[in-house]
């Protein structure tokens, strides 16, 4: 259960990684099959290539073992994994003990969804890995997939930047699977092998009996991670700051949004946007023709369907605090709007207000549900008592 | 638009049904004069103001949106104002992030008995928005 | 590929007034018919949305049978006319989308005709057996 | 055949005249966005803004019928508003009126011949070369390179059901408009605008040649899709990449449901159901009901599909949704002899019946 | 002779109000005798005796809504002259004079003021002889300045509604009453009492109540701390808890005097860390919930807390106060501090009304001059049928006073006849669901007052053109009986089915507006009430722009109404039985109270017998016979057929919600009992704290106070010397609360010992004897009990040898090290929460546990003390229907636990009596659109009233409407607008915004 249970984490500690030599993809599948055979697990939810082998999809696999095409490290993110977990457990806890393989951002989104009861973590074992990023769907579908796959595999262990990765991936600073029940440590292993690191009691139990050496110290990995993180953090800051410059002000922002077709597909694939009916598609915003004519009069015209900017900004007020910068929105945008950058930027800033990191810990309440008595004074307009003396 | 005509901003003032409204009523009872282009928008509690309303107003023609309700600790509904403050913080952060004049949105607590504070806030906000000028966002047809 | 020997599954949507009653009659008359059928009672055959037909086919049922009152005999007077249009649509769509329309059958079986119900089930079962397994049955990629 | 009249007005003049003489409350048409790169369907109320109108701009960021639906669903305008619509948008609007998702009261519908549109992410206002090619293709009555596949196979490119129709194929876009007035409302408007039959114009032969080219393309497209969709394997392969985002239905002008059936609680399962199904098959692909969504959606709206191509434009994984729906929709429509968007008064096929029909489907 | 049913309430203190409210709910009429010319002229506690600074207007005012609804009547300028008859059939002779302006008819058009020719200077401002009292919460009160009025009669002629009567006669009436409640307001100490503290003679000495009042208008900002002499912010402040310094008449600390002082100190410090704050008290009496934490905070904040026995104030120089004090009782005033401002925490003095009322009603005063109450009863005086409540019976703070209003209900009812107030039958409403929306706008001219200020005709013409408006017209008014009828007729005749009333404040006149719409046959959800007066008429001057604003408001309201839906008021049936968990004195008292009122009560007790800790106690400090009382209680319980006792039981499962719980418990034999209580009272008590300090547990001579008391009762203590150490293991950062009872117990046992001639030494930190208990401290001093006072950081040390216990202590009274040689050491260990128990019930009933381990008051239906705003709300169930009473709530004495149980039971009785319950905001409750709801629970998390939960099967939110107070927190929390308020659906609010921008 809940991998991000802090107490759990502290107890287990982080220096217990098991070093496994060999190709990570193969070994991880062996490991999972082993758990299925030994009935420690009854099912695994993870990506596998689809029939036409040109894309990936989520599969729940069990009794007969994993599909041959199962791939713990897919080069693209078709459906955000947290959504897949949500499909499975929205109506109740997983029926059987199930391992789920998630990218770090999918893991974070899963934790966020657990907070809002769209995911039930009980009976799930969350496994995550050091993610090199993912290709944009469009690039992957239109490019030379073999080459791209090779480049991706090469990146898995070398902690090199994935060339052509999605914009959000290239500035991702939370690229490890920390917080999962089992973390697959690729960084620092230099392709010779990888670590399986327990993040909870449960993870520890599952790793029992996995043969590997404990000799390979995790320090190398920690060092590599912190270097990469420092780099990424710097890059993230710079990229978002300079991106902010390009979208600041109504003129710039509307230019960026001008290709938006108001299809709301970004929210539909968003793992955090869990509403069954989006507020911005609801009756709340519908009005009579005359009212729209009036709006048109006020602002020299009204784009139809209306409320395009309201949708984006409004959605940000609803979920940017929980935005995990997974990039699913941008992949699904048919109009090439840099949605994920917009949301990453918005999320960075709104999350900072509450020092909230989505997906960091299950125990951290969603900021809208809690408050402190003394906080956020800066957002209040200070009263100048002498303002209108004459009265 | 007549350029010479003084700019009269279009302002919505979101008031909670208790203190915000009470403050405005006290101002009324005391016959305090304040800017007449301010339109009251009444909700049960500041905690019931969805930032979406404010965004909608700013995009659709308002030059400013002020919110007043019970002081912290005084909420008729226990804690609505604390949550309101959080939402307003998010909203203002977002507006700031995208350079959309976060100063067009004000949150200031006004108690039931604070007629003067209410009128002052209305006037000050009006002057403040006048100084800021028209809301460029509200003039765009592509939003 | 599909194992021809597996038991075929036929999902049947039967209208409460005619065919479901006919099935009842078949039972009380101790008529023997193929055991492959899984009955879903609906109040009227026109309640059967094409989605109800397509879903079992995609999820691996080998056939879908819709049974209702004969045109003109509908308990709700016009239901079967609408039902016929819907099932025609379902079959046409199935045909154009790569599903075998022969796996869908619409039969009007009045309440009094228990034997006919048994016959239709047997016939349809045979027909489905001849068609073999629905390829979607073991298809994990669907 | 409608009488064609030379209006002696270019597009801007025409819109200005509409404003002036018909006392319009507004005009809705493709309009340049202030940012200058793109155009969007926009409601304008000020005559001064009409210079930004670009009704012909060959892109469809949204099917305008959806926009008109948003505009009129709650209540139609109390004063007349002119709406510019492409033929497929007009057909979609007609279908929406049937299901009460739009009203045409107080709308003056201006339709125009459509030479197709480019995928919307592929065209900008600044793409002069492309636009020039497009104009030339229009004048010649040929398919322009780069327009969407469904557009190049669209044979219903002349507006049906407009109040004022602009004849466009085979003509120069900058020249005065050639109009016809198929409806009473249109004729009334013509009178007010001071247009009479004295300036009759002949129909352009380019219309027929384009029809022929499109007819051929349509046949080819149908064949291609039919082949791709053969058998369960075909069905799976075609939709294999689908990520269940449902973007196709969300931009579809016909899919009017507020909460899509396939996103409703009906299709949310309890966990045990997933595991049982997984055991039966060995593995279960998630999200489930992916193919069912497409088939089911077809069964819900295929009879009204106007092949506008929005779905395909919006698909983030390049599934030829529109081509599939056009092909499958056409077959279903043929079953009932139903032509969507043809006639506002014709009932939807599933809401009517005749007593003796379709007997081949029963036994 | 049949009993009378009306109840006369003398005075308007909060308790009286609460009784009036509760009786009206129960169907009885009350007549309140208000000695002032308007409500609150004689200040009751609401303004000043708050535990904290809070604006209470919104919570206090709703009680007034019952005034004028028939159930509660207020007589102004009234006095009780004579009381004859006996309980059940009193005849009260009352003198009264109606107010000049009848508030229920007055439209507040101010025409009288315009007409008045007299103008005088008052406080630097010009004022007419008829004038408005600055707004009292919701009402504007019109008064005539009798001194300057020339009686010209112009105002009376000008009054369009006939509300103003220039010469209302003084009348004498006789009221037949079943019971009399004495609830006069408190007497604030005046110059005489406060003179020693310089009040009235030394500049910059202010009363805390003055600050509290000022704070209400400035909302507790810096303004409340300006020094009076020059309006400047003082750089140093002294706060003095005056009751501690034995000045005659105010020496008894009311509930929150110490707490108020510390609160005030913290407030100043937190706002201006630079100000030096000195707090002078003798003891810090912090026995209320959370009070010790405030004290800890004060220390952290750097407040200088000076414990002193004596002090005096004088002028230092200019406008500064010099405070001379001594920390030692023997020393003269040697230490000095100079401050720029002094705040006196004043407390209450004995009521001046006591003498008169004593004569009229025949009730005796107790020794201090307050009204005497029969022990173990709620508010019962020695005369049957006459009750006394609130600060009339002892110094009190708000929470106690308010709760006291519920305590005596059952006893009051026993003297009353048949119910004499029927609920008004609402008019039949038209079903308009099938009609197209037609909105009518009715614009009030306020009898011409509005039309003087702006052109209403023009507004009407403009409004008529709005797309959503089908009818518009001017009305005269909508607030006087006749104008309500006229307007209703206009609405009806216009044929509209949506109504916009552009009138004045609904905060005050909501009921009238609603009534108007209902008389017109429409559901009020189809109407909007705009404040033309407050938002336009009174605050703007440019007529054209006033019209714009009014038009915009009307436009917005009309657009909002377009999609309004009429829905019936929700009602829920509630059960009639009660479950009491815990069979201690508090639980049993609650059970007896409700059982005798005829409600079925189940008592679930964990152990094999009921009675709890009371077995051990025989008398309390005041000498009340606890044993006798308990015997009577058990006997009453035994013979009451409504009460079922289940011993040896464990509560295993709770489902349902307030009003309709379903509780299962198991007995020791594995038997399962299921009950469906409407209300649950938790009285599971607390534990005596144990300690390992001072050799307790090892040395038999060291024992807890309770153990000692038993020994004493058994006669085992016959001689020697007894030492007591107070506050062992408590009032420290680890356990920051006072157990409230230890000081009393120590005094009680010490006095007993002294009677036997045994020497006693009490080592203490603060003598926490509150109220009249302080008498016993004085008595103990007189009786020769020796008191040694130690510092909180230097507890006494024990040196134990076989022959003696040597206690070494530094006495801070004189700063000397002392040694006490004793035979017994008695430790005041205080109370510990029953954590295990509390945990269980907190899970079962969704109650929170507070930082100290007791039940948190915010989450239960019995908010006492710091859940301040909710205490005021009369709404019975603005939380989850679970009352926590007695020591499970917080440390209480025996008597206090029992009283608390009665008060909760009284409130429970009011709820149960209704059988049905509508939500507090009956019409506007929040609801769920289940097709949209995803069960994310955000709404549950933010609901302050526990009114929502997730249905575990359907995975959607459900609302318990009568817990919902319609705040809308859930609506905003829900991103997909699956949560909505009935009158404010999302689309309606968006329409409103569009509408406001449309004109």
């Amino acid at each position: 259960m809940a991998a991000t249970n802090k107490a759990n984490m502290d107890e287990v500690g982080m220096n217990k990684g098991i070093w496994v030599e060999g190709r990570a993809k193969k070994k991880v599948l062996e490991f999972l099959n082993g758990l299925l055979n030994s009935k420690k697990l009854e099912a695994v939810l993870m990506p596998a290539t689809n029939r036409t082998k040109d894309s990936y999809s989520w599969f729940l696999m069990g009794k007969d073992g994993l599909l041959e095409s199962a791939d713990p490290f897919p080069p693209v993110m078709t459906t955000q994994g947290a959504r897949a977990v949500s499909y499975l457990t929205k109506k109740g806890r997983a029926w059987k003990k199930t391992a789920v393989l998630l990218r770090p951002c999918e893991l974070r989104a899963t934790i966020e969804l657990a907070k809002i009861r769209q995911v039930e973590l009980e009976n799930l074992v969350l496994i995550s890995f050091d993610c090199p990023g993912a290709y944009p769907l469009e690039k992957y579908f239109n490019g030379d997939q073999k080459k791209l796959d090779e480049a991706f595999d090469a990146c898995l262990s070398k902690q090199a930047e994935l060339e052509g990765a999605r914009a959000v991936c290239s500035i991702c600073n939370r690229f490890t699977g920390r917080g999962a029940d089992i973390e697959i440590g690729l960084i620092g292993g230099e392709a010779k092998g990888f670590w399986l690191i327990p993040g909870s009691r449960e993870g520890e139990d599952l790793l029992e009996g996995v043969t590997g050496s404990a000799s390979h110290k995790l320090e190398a990995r920690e060092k590599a991670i912190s270097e990469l993180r420092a780099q990424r953090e710097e890059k993230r800051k710079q990229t978002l700051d300079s991106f902010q410059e390009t979208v600041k002000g109504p003129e710039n922002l509307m230019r960026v949004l001008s290709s938006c077709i108001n299809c709301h597909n970004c929210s539909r694939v968003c793992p955090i946007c869990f509403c069954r009916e989006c507020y911005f598609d609801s009756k709340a915003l519908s009005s009579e023709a005359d009212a729209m004519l009036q709006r048109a009069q006020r602002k020299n015209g009204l784009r139809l369907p209306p409320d395009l900017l309201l949708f984006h900004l409004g959605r940000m007020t609803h979920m940017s605090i929980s935005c995990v910068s997974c990039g699913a929105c941008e992949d699904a945008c048919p109009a090439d709007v840099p949605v994920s950058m917009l949301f990453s930027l918005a999320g960075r800033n709104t999350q900072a207000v509450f020092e909230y990191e989505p997906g960091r810990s299950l125990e951290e309440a969603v900021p809208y549900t809690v408050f402190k008595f003394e906080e956020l004074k800066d957002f209040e307009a200070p009263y100048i008592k002498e303002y209108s003396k004459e009265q | 638009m007549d350029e010479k005509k003084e700019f009269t901003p279009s302002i919505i003032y979101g008031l909670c049904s208790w203190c915000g409204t009470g403050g405005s009523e006290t101002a009324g009872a005391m016959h305090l004069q304040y800017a007449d282009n301010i339109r009251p928008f009444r909700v049960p509690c500041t905690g019931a103001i969805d930032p979406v309303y404010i965004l909608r107003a700013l995009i659709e023609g308002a030059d400013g949106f002020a919110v007043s309700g019970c002081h912290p600790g005084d909420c008729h509904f226990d804690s609505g104002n604390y949550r309101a403050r959080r939402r307003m913080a998010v909203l203002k952060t977002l507006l700031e992030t995208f350079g959309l004049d976060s100063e067009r949105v004000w949150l200031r607590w006004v108690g039931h008995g604070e007629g003067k504070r209410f009128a002052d806030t209305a006037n000050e906000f009006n002057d403040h928005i006048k100084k800021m000028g028209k809301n460029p966002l509200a003039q765009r047809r592509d939003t | 590929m599909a194992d021809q020997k597996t038991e075929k599954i036929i999902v049947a949507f039967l209208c409460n007034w005619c065919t479901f009653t006919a099935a009842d009659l078949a039972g009380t008359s101790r008529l023997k018919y193929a055991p492959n059928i899984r009955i879903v009672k609906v109040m009227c055959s026109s309640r059967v949305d094409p989605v109800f037909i397509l879903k079992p086919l995609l999820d691996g049922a080998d056939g879908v049978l819709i049974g209702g009152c004969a045109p003109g005999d509908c308990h709700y007077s016009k239901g079967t006319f609408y039902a016929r249009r819907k099932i025609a649509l379902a079959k046409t769509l199935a045909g154009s989308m790569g599903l075998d329309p022969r796996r869908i059958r619409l039969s009007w079986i009045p309440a009094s005709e228990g034997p006919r119900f048994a016959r239709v089930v047997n016939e349809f079962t045979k027909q489905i057996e001849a068609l073999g397994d629905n390829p979607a049955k073991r298809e994990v990629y669907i | 055949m409608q009488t064609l009249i030379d209006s002696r007005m270019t597009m801007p003049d025409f819109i200005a005249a509409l404003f002036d003489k018909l006392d319009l409350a507004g005009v809705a048409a493709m309009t340049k966005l202030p940012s200058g790169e793109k155009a969007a369907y926009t409601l304008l109320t000020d005559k001064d803004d009409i210079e930004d109108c670009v009704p012909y701009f060959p892109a469809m960021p949204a099917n305008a019928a959806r926009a008109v639906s948003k505009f009129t669903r709650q209540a139609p305008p109390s004063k007349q508003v002119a709406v510019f619509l492409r033929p497929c948008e007009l057909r979609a609007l007609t279908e929406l009126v049937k299901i009460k998702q739009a009203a045409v009261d107080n709308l003056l519908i201006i339709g125009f011949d459509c030479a197709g549109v480019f995928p919307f992410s592929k065209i900008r206002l600044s793409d002069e070369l492309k636009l020039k090619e497009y104009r030339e293709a229009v004048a010649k009555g040929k398919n322009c390179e780069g327009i969407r596949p469904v557009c190049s196979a669209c044979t219903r490119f002349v507006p049906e059901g407009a109040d004022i129709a602009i004849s466009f194929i085979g003509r120069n876009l900058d020249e005065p408009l050639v109009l016809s007035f198929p409806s009473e409302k249109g004729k009334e408007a013509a009178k007010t605008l001071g247009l009479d039959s004295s300036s009759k114009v002949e129909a352009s032969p380019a219309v027929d040649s384009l029809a022929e080219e499109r007819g051929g393309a349509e046949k080819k497209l149908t064949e291609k899709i039919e082949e791709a969709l053969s058998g369960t394997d075909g069905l799976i392969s075609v939709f294999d990449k689908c990520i269940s985002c449902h973007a196709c239905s969300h931009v579809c002008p016909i899919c009017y449901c507020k909460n899509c059936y396939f996103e409703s609680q009906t299709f949310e399962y309890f966990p045990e159901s997933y595991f049982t199904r997984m055991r039966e098959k060995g593995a279960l692909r998630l999200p489930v009901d992916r193919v069912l969504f497409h088939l089911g959606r077809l069964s819900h709206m295929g009879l009204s599909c106007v092949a506008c191509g929005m779905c395909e434009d919006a698909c983030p994984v390049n599934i030829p949704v529109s081509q599939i729906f056009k092909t499958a929709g056409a077959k279903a429509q043929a079953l009932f002899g139903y032509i969507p968007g043809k006639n506002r008064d014709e009932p939807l096929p599933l809401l009517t019946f005749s007593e003796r029909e379709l007997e081949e489907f029963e036994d | 002779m049949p009993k009378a049913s009306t109840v006369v309430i003398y005075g308007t203190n909060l308790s009286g109000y609460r009784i009036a409210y509760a009786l009206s709910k129960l169907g009885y009429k009350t007549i309140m005798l208000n000695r002032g010319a308007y409500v609150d002229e004689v200040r009751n506690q609401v303004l000043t005796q708050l535990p904290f600074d809070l604006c209470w207007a919104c919570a206090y005012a709703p009680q007034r809504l019952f005034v004028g609804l028939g159930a509660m009547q207020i007589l102004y300028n009234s006095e009780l002259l004579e009381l004859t008859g006996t309980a059940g059939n009193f005849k009260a002779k009352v003198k009264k004079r109606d107010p000049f302006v009848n508030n229920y008819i007055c439209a507040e058009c101010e025409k009288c003021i315009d007409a008045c020719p007299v103008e005088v200077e008052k406080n630097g401002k010009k004022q007419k002889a008829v004038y408005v009292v600055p707004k009292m919460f919701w009402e504007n009160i019109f008064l005539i300045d009798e001194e300057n009025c020339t009686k010209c009669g112009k105002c009376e002629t000008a009054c369009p509604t006939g509300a103003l009567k220039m010469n209302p006669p003084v009348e004498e009436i006789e009221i037949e009453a079943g019971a009399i409640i004495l609830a006069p307001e408190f007497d604030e100490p005046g110059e005489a009492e406060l003179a020693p503290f310089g009040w009235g003679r030394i500049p910059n000495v202010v009363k805390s109540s003055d600050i509290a009042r000022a704070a209400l208008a400035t909302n507790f900002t810096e303004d409340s701390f300006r020094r009076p002499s020059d309006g400047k912010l003082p750089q140093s402040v002294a706060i003095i808890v005056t009751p501690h310094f034995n000045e005659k008449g105010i020496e008894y600390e009311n509930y929150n005097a110490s707490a108020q002082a510390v609160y005030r100190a913290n407030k100043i410090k937190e706002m201006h860390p630079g100000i030096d704050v000195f707090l002078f008290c003798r003891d810090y009496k912090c026995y209320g919930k959370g009070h010790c934490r405030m004290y800890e905070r004060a220390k952290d904040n750097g407040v200088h807390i000076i414990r002193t026995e004596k002090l005096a104030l004088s002028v230092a120089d200019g406008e500064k106060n010099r405070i001379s004090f001594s920390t030692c009782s023997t020393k003269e005033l040697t230490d000095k501090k100079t401050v720029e401002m002094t705040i006196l925490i004043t407390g209450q003095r004995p009521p001046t009304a006591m003498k008169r009322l004593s004569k009229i009603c025949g009730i005796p005063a107790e020794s201090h001059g307050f009204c005497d109450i029969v022990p173990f009863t709620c508010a019962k005086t020695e005369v049957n049928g006459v009750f006394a409540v609130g600060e009339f019976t002892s110094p009190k703070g708000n929470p106690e006073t308010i709760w006291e209003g519920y305590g005596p209900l059952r006893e009051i009812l026993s003297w009353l006849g048949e119910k004499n107030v029927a609920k008004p039958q609402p008019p039949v409403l038209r079903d308009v669901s099938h009609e197209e929306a037609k909105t009518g706008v009715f614009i009030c001219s306020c009898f011409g007052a509005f039309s003087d200020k702006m052109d209403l005709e023009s507004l009407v013409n403009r409004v008529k053109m709005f797309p959503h408006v089908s009818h518009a017209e001017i009305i005269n008014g909508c607030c006087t009986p006749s104008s309500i009828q006229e307007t209703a007729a206009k609405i009806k005749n216009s044929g509209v089915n949506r109504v916009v009333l552009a009138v004045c404040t609904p905060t005050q006149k909501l009921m009238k507006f609603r009534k108007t719409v209902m008389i017109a046959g429409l559901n009020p959800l189809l109407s909007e009430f705009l404040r033309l007066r407050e938002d336009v008429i009174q605050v703007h001057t440019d007529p054209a722009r006033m019209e714009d604003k009014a038009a915009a408001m009307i436009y917005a309201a009309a657009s909002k109404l377009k999609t309004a839906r009429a829905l019936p008021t929700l009602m829920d049936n509630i059960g009639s039985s009660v479950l009491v968990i815990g069979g201690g004195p508090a639980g049993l008292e609650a059970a007896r109270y409700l059982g005798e009122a005829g409600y079925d009560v189940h008592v679930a007790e964990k152990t094999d017998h009921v009675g709890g800790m009371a077995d051990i106690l025989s008398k309390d400090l005041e000498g009340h016979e606890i044993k006798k009382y308990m015997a009577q209680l058990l006997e009453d319980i035994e013979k009451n057929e409504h009460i079922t006792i289940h011993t040896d039981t464990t509560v295993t499962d709770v489902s349902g919600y307030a009003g309709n719980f379903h509780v299962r418990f198991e007995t020791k034999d594995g038997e399962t009992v299921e009950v469906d209580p409407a209300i649950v009272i938790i009285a599971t008590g607390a534990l005596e704290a144990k300690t390992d300090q001072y050799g307790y547990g090892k040395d038999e001579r060291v024992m807890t106070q309770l153990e000692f008391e038993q020994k004493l009762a058994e006669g085992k203590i016959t001689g020697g010397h007894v030492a007591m150490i107070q506050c062992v293991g408590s009032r420290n950062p680890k356990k920051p609360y006072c157990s409230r009872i230890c000081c009393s117990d120590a005094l009680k046992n010490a006095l007993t010992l002294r009677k036997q001639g045994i020497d006693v030494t009490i080592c203490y930190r603060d003598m926490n004897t509150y109220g009249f208990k302080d008498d016993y401290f004085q008595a103990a001093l007189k009786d020769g009990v020796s008191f040694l006072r130690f510092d909180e950081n230097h507890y006494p040390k024990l040196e134990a040898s076989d022959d003696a216990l040597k206690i070494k202590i530094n006495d801070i009274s004189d700063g000397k090290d002392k040694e006490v040689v004793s035979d017994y050491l008695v430790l005041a260990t205080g109370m510990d929460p029953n954590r295990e128990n509390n945990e269980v019930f907190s899970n079962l009933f969704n109650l929170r546990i507070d930082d100290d381990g007791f039940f948190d008051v915010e989450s239960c239906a019995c908010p006492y003390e710091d859940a301040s705003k909710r205490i005021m709300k009369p709404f019975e169930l603005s939380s989850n229907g679970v009352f926590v009473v007695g020591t499970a709530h917080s440390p209480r004495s025996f008597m206090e636990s029992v009283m608390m149980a009665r008060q909760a039971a009284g409130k429970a009785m009011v709820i149960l009596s209704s059988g049905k319950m509508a939500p507090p905001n009956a019409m506007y409750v929040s609801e769920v659109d289940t097709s949209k709801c995803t069960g994310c629970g955000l709404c549950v998390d933010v609901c302050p009233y526990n009114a929502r939960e997730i249905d575990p099967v359907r995975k959607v939110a459900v609302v318990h409407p009568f817990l919902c107070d319609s705040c809308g927190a859930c609506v905003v929390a829900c991103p997909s607008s699956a949560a909505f308020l009935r009158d404010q659906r999302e689309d309606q609010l968006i329409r409103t915004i569009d509408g406001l921008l449309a004109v």
Side-chain angles (χ1 to χ4, degrees), chain A residues 114-235:
Chain A
K115 290 179 194 172
I116 49 178
R117 301 184 210 195
Q118 303 302 299
V119 153
E120 173 66 70
L121 288 179
E122 210 185 316
N123 254 356
L124 292 186
V125 179
L126 305 180
I127 304 176
S128 189
F129 61 94
D130 299 336
C131 173
Y135 296 117
L137 281 185
E138 200 174 350
K139 184 188 173 84
Y140 190 69
F141 292 149
N142 297 329
D144 180 342
Q145 291 198 350
K146 212 171 151 226
K147 253 186 170 165
L148 291 169
D149 286 347
E150 277 165 12
F152 183 84
D153 278 351
C155 267
L156 268 180
S157 48
K158 282 192 194 150
Q159 68 196 269
E161 292 295 318
L162 180 63
E163 203 180 313
R166 306 181 305 173
V168 272
C169 293
S170 72
I171 57 166
C172 177
N173 57 344
R174 284 177 264 162
F175 45 80
T176 71
R178 194 144 300 166
D181 294 284
I182 298 176
E183 192 186 338
I184 301 173
L186 301 168
I187 292 176
E190 290 165 359
K192 279 177 254 153
F194 63 98
W195 289 272
L196 288 171
I197 309 158
S200 67
R201 278 260 167 275
E202 177 110 50
E204 226 171 16
D205 290 349
L206 289 176
L207 286 176
E208 209 172 280
V210 173
T211 46
S213 85
S215 64
H216 220 87
K217 285 281 186 305
L218 279 165
E219 277 106 43
R221 167 171 160 72
E222 289 303 320
K223 191 164 162 267
I225 288 175
S226 62
E227 276 167 16
L228 182 58
R229 181 167 294 138
Q231 264 174 41
R232 286 283 184 82
E233 251 150 30
E234 181 58 26
K235 189 171 172 196

